[in-house]
Amino acid sequence: MTTNGFPNQPPWNATGSANSGSSSGRTRHSHKEKTYNVNFTAKAAGESTGGPAGGGDGGASAADRHQGDRLIHAIERIEFRSDKDILALAKAINHLGRELYLILGMRAEELNGVLSQYRGKWYTFGTQSRIKARLVSAHLKVSAEAAKALGVGALKMAHAFDRHFVKPEQEAKQQRNGKTARPTFTIGED
């Protein structure tokens, strides 16, 4: 038993012990965090940098954001009230997937180009660096393909929604009104 009456308690959790500066909680900090404000955009002379002396907003403005932020925000804002909202969601996700596919594909090629020209230590030869560059950039290309699959999956979701919900509803409405469905393509039937 410790001084606080609980077994197996570390000494910094003991209330009223000599190790504790306050009456509750841990007093020692094993990890101190530092926060840095980093601005990656280059500003022209006379423009605000967003720092403490600059008087700016300290964050990214709407012009600094990438198009992907706008697309994600549009996807998050869609509320499901009708079938048009589900189709709008599918189109927005498809557009985001295509954008990510193009961006990641271009960045993979850029990474491959930079790494294939790397001349490092004596044990890294030219052919080896090109092979290693392809191996590294292939991982980013896989991510690009996953983004492409995201867009294709959204279109498949929209098609499945149309097939399982919209078409049966339209067919039931036509049967209720006495209209026959649109003629389909047939071979050999009169």
Side-chain angles (χ1 to χ4, degrees):
M1 291 260 176
T2 60
T3 58
N4 63 357
F6 295 102
N8 300 327
Q9 284 286 326
W12 54 81
N13 282 344
T15 56
S17 69
N19 294 350
S20 175
S22 64
S23 62
S24 66
R26 191 173 190 172
T27 59
R28 291 189 299 169
H29 293 290
S30 59
H31 176 63
K32 295 185 180 182
E33 296 180 11
K34 292 184 180 180
T35 305
Y36 299 99
N37 186 11
V38 180
N39 189 2
F40 291 105
T41 58
K43 299 282 184 180
E47 288 188 24
S48 173
T49 59
D57 61 355
S61 66
D64 291 340
R65 279 193 260 150
H66 193 272
Q67 185 177 358
D69 294 337
R70 182 182 54 82
L71 293 172
I72 291 171
H73 186 67
I75 291 170
E76 290 174 343
R77 280 195 333 249
I78 295 175
E79 294 183 20
F80 300 122
R81 294 191 178 124
S82 69
D83 58 338
K84 291 181 174 82
D85 296 328
I86 294 174
L87 296 177
L89 175 72
K91 287 179 183 179
I93 292 173
N94 181 35
H95 190 65
L96 176 66
R98 283 186 302 171
E99 286 290 322
L100 280 173
Y101 172 69
L102 292 173
I103 291 168
L104 292 176
M106 287 188 297
R107 296 300 287 190
E109 291 298 322
E110 182 181 350
L111 182 65
N112 186 18
V114 169
L115 293 178
S116 65
Q117 296 176 0
Y118 174 71
R119 301 289 179 251
K121 307 294 182 195
W122 61 270
Y123 51 84
T124 306
F125 301 107
T127 306
Q128 284 183 343
S129 67
R130 285 192 293 271
I131 293 169
K132 290 176 184 179
R134 266 188 264 137
L135 291 174
V136 171
S137 66
H139 290 287
L140 197 54
K141 287 182 183 178
V142 168
S143 298
E145 291 297 323
K148 184 178 178 182
L150 169 78
V152 171
L155 291 179
K156 287 182 178 180
M157 181 267 305
H159 181 68
F161 170 72
D162 188 56
R163 181 177 59 232
H164 294 297
F165 286 93
V166 176
K167 294 290 184 199
E169 187 77 24
Q170 289 173 349
E171 290 172 1
K173 188 183 287 186
Q174 287 175 351
Q175 286 178 355
R176 200 174 1 175
N177 294 337
K179 298 178 183 175
T180 60
R182 206 180 310 165
T184 59
F185 180 77
T186 58
I187 297 177
E189 293 182 21
D190 290 328

